[in-house]
């Protein structure tokens, strides 16, 4: 059950150590120019190989399988894949029996009655977010001229992120972080009351990203300590501009034309270099595990482009619900 | 666009000052005993009339329209409604032109081209959560023996909630709060990877509730400041019990059999007794508004039963996806 | 599981001998004028009481519960109900144990483990089509200026329909018929390739109507005996007008701008006055049944308005997928 | 918008003359053995190269991209593709401007504002049914021990199908046919009342197959000429066995445990060797076209395996709605 959206639909498939990871984007307007270099630029932002990320060199090159003709989307489902190459399956030989704490090894094993692909997390791997970034390319075009921008604002509770990485590396540890995302120039009126509120759709997309533990809109958790008249955003003109933006650009689940603002908490990667306690499912006896697979000190470094993509996908769906799949093809020319 | 769920589907309808508010529950197993007193007990927890809530006496009595026969669900769609009675529409005469800060008056007006019912928030009103609580009754039966329990743990930044209300009332203000929800005895394996992760589905339901500004699972935002080995929950037996529960009972988007824990931030109600700045949309001139409608000092007081219901609905859907609509009817006998 | 549509969503609820039958229409544009007299006129075409239909006087008066304000749709979910009045539940006392041939008594009983409401077919009753006709009112407005028109073209294999009824009444029998439906002035481009082809969506709606046994588009079954060059419709101008219309206005699952034409087969009503063999489920012994409930000689007489509604609903969904929920509100003014 | 199903979801992608055609199957239980030879055997039944089918040698070899590990489904989305090889795009150079009668060239061009891939029908090509046959493999396993079997019962109005082909070939023509499909050993209770009735879901899948013009269940159109007591199927035992099977195994939209029977009308392929009138969209002038692409005399020859697959997919979805995704994994061992 791995697809999102009512009209602009995104489905991801693949496994960390299988043949490919891929994505299908359905319900995408025809006439969007497809520039593989632009997609690759976005993917580059998600890649490992930088300080704080795993040295695994992932093959991230996107191959178009369908839905693109003469450089434009055709209106048919768009599928892109990337081959997996730099994988060391032998790192994961014991995974089926000795679940790594914090990972989906245990839950996947039970859910799928022992048939899940456990190598490197299999289908649960963060590598699947490749497909979110690719889908984000199309989503950004759809919501344009709206623009999405996210950045890492703290790591390990520290604003100096370089320093936080150095401390963690010294302990063979991983650390988490906070990412803030802002969206400008969305029209008033996106989102549906209650179950498809802008917050519902955004949060549901954002929690699709592995390692996210919380989300808050506008003033967020701090709102719980404010008085009503302090938290309310006064209107200053009839286009809906507000003096403050405590609501983060959403009223009643509907975009109000001001900047969308939300923050997310990224947990430290579960794969640390430190020895941890776990259980051997064959013997029901305690054992320890030191994760051998290569890993990221600060996965939150990769998250901004993924969150931007997730947010763009969420609003591309809300926009196509509001305005239809097919009416907008002129604007991309 | 107001329905939730793939199999266990909940749709709510109605307006604050219209004929009724109501709910349709579809995809509900046959054979669940329907006890109106138990439903009313849940609704009572959501009612106003207590200290900190509006003196508006809502008519909350549920009337069964369909889907129940001889005291049991039939498998057909279940519709319940409640009549609106204690409404003073005259309180809202200027709403269409003078949007109340923090409410959906402005966004609803633009989204629906001026046709929305603006009286008391219309369809955007918190009164619609009546339907969530009713649907929650059925959802709780489905997920049983799992049980859901939520409570208000702070208000206005204060653990002494009575005191927080007294302070706010003295200023004719409203205040927010933090609600914590715990779910026990869910089976391992609920949730689907990525887009229907347990967090995605729960958060999407929770943000359907008006006034929620944030959600965090397990350790939540604090996880961003922890080391990986500190945050990971070690397994202590082969049934998946963990030593700690920083993950809040979810790994890879799938329930792991431990307690589900999440917290939500509730903003202060937008309708305060304090004068606020807004705009007259007819003249595009600034004006002030003092909300005349009756209101809650601390709406977060009503939220626990609504969050419990929302969480039960989310897991009822994930459980019926996993195990089907119709196989479980024996268990309710 | 009783709702249809991706954007323009229709859900029906209720039982033949319960409190009400009703319908919720979600994803409906704001600003559509709601004229209860026009809805009642459509419902009148579906009513019994004429020659060839049951003398049961159904209370068909629609009550608006939600989604309408000042005479226009608001964009929120629209719910209408009608009370059941002229019911004789005692007619159906043995239904749970002695299933009527051709009805859903047996399948409903097994599917819902004995909890289904068996009185008069319960939720399976043709009375539920009241909701389709009501939803059809809104759907027709959405697809306007397109117009839908259906008529009964034969009954019991006879073009003289009065005569066919007289023959059947003389034998205390029921008869079936063929209904033809035509839709004019739809734009080119509605329908999606394959799973949401215009034929897929139309047929799925049409088979939601009880008693339908077949559907054919354009030349239909006769196409199987034609040569390709004979069946193909030649284009005569660049707007897509074709010389013939064997395809019934659909190519590749997409409307081509010509008239949509389809025909459906309506079976004879299962409730006849003739004694029939069945089984007593308590004893597993053969028995006979003579249906005591009032019934229609020629239910196909009621079908045209229901098929028109079903077709309008199907195209309202395809149109809102293509063009969005909210952009079209001007046109209804 | 190219996916089918609520739980067992099938999405197809690709183009006739693009890189690949492919399919993603989501919501498929873990633990189903995957035998590529069995899949290839089904695909072989759909292939061209026999008398009456096009001499184009399609590369039909399935490549597994995801969702299979150690020979079994893992519970994650399953994607298979096949490369396109034997394509002659130059055959279709004029397609964008000179629409072939009966094809989707014109509707696709308008719907997608000129951006559709017109080569050999692009995404509208019958070649996309490759994905249905592949998905059918998994669907058959899910509904097992139920079995589906379809056959061509007439062609060009003739029971002697060889002869019908010879006549058509002599005229450089194409012919249609009638295919009958039967499904044995389905449990009682599949299908949901009204919008997901067994007929609705089956017909919606069947009309996803290009060239289908009609469908009828059980006695079908002939039912319109029968009396009620004649058409009704009398129950002969308490398991629901009926004396006759005019209903085709479905009552009230729900399977009744008897054999499912339906027939479909397949039109003659639109690509004939005969010259036809059409329009040049550039000049709006009449012109003629003689289709140069290779084609099938009797495409209905390929339809049985596709209809079987479509029917299996429809019931796999209804079965997983009823019984869940994950409970059934033991049975495939």
């Amino acid at each position: 059950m791995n697809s999102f959206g009512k009209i602009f639909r995104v489905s991801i498939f693949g496994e960390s150590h299988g043949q490919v990871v891929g994505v299908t984007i359905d319900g995408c307007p025809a006439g969007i120019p497809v520039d593989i270099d632009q997609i690759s630029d976005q993917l580059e932002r998600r890649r490992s190989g930088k300080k704080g990320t795993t040295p695994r060199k992932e093959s991230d090159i996107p191959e178009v399988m369908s839905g693109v003709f003469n450089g434009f989307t055709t209106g048919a489902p768009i599928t892109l894949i990337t081959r997996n190459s730099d994988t060391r399956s032998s790192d994961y030989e014991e995974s089926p029996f000795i679940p790594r704490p914090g990972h989906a090894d245990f839950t996947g094993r039970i859910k799928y009655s022992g048939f899940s692909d456990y190598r490197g997390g299999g289908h649960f791997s963060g590598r699947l977010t490749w497909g979110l970034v690719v889908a984000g390319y199309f989503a950004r075009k759809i919501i344009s001229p709206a623009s999405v921008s996210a950045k890492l604002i703290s790591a390990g509770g520290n604003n100096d992120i370089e320093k936080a990485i150095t401390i963690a590396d010294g302990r063979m540890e991983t650390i988490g972080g906070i990412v803030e995302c802002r969206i400008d120039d969305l029209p008033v009126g996106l989102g549906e009351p209650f179950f498809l509120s802008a917050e519902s759709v955004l949060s549901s997309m954002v929690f699709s990203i592995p390692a996210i533990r919380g989300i808050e809109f506008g003033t967020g958790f701090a709102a719980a300590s404010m008085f009503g008249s302090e938290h309310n955003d006064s209107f200053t003109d009839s286009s809906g501009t507000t003096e403050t933006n405590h609501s983060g650009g959403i009223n009643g689940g509907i975009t109000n034309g001001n900047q969308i603002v939300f923050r997310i908490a990224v947990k430290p990667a579960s794969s640390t270099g430190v020895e941890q306690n776990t259980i051997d499912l064959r013997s029901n006896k305690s054992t320890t595990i030191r994760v051998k697979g290569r890993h990221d000190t600060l996965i939150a470094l990769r998250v901004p482009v993924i969150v931007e993509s997730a947010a763009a996908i969420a609003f591309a769906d809300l926009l196509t619900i509001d305005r239809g799949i097919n009416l907008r093809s002129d604007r991309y020319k």
Side-chain angles (χ1 to χ4, degrees), chain A residues 190-267:
Chain A
L190 301 188
E192 304 289 321
F194 300 95
F195 305 115
L196 290 179
S197 73
E199 296 102 327
S200 289
V201 177
L202 273 170
S203 67
S204 129
M205 267 308 298
V206 161
F207 283 114
S208 301
I209 306 169
I212 308 302
R213 307 310 298 147
I215 188 169
E216 59 177 11
F217 292 89
T219 308
F221 275 84
S225 305
M226 293 167 78
F227 288 119
S229 66
E230 199 182 350
H231 182 268
N232 284 339
D233 302 310
S234 299
F235 293 104
T236 59
D237 67 32
S238 60
S239 73
T241 310
T242 55
E243 210 177 312
T244 50
N245 189 17
H246 297 121
S247 73
I250 304 170
N251 289 142
I254 315 294
T255 56
N256 68 14
N258 293 278
Q259 190 183 52
I260 305 291
V261 186
F262 64 90
R263 275 170 304 284
I264 60 175
V266 185
K267 75 171 186 183

Side-chain angles (χ1 to χ4, degrees), chain A residues 126-149:
Chain A
R127 178 144 171 75
L128 272 282
T129 60
W130 181 93
L132 294 185
V133 175
V134 171
Y137 168 83
F138 298 91
R140 285 171 201 254
K141 297 282 184 188
I142 291 171
I143 64 170
S144 157
S147 62
V148 194
S149 167

Side-chain angles (χ1 to χ4, degrees), chain A residues 106-127:
Chain A
F106 176 77
T107 52
R109 180 177 167 80
I110 302 295
K111 183 173 185 68
Y112 300 119
S113 313
F115 289 102
S116 57
D117 180 349
Y118 48 77
R119 298 168 300 165
H123 181 58
F124 290 95
S125 167
R127 178 144 171 75

Side-chain angles (χ1 to χ4, degrees), chain A residues 91-108:
Chain A
D91 285 348
Y92 300 97
E93 259 162 25
E94 296 215 295
S95 293
F97 308 113
I98 303 184
R100 295 168 300 165
H103 281 282
D105 297 346
F106 176 77
T107 52

Side-chain angles (χ1 to χ4, degrees), chain A residues 28 69-70 75 80 87 211 260 272 295 316:
Chain A
C28 184
F69 181 53
N70 289 338
L80 292 99
T87 56
I260 305 291
T272 90
H295 63 267

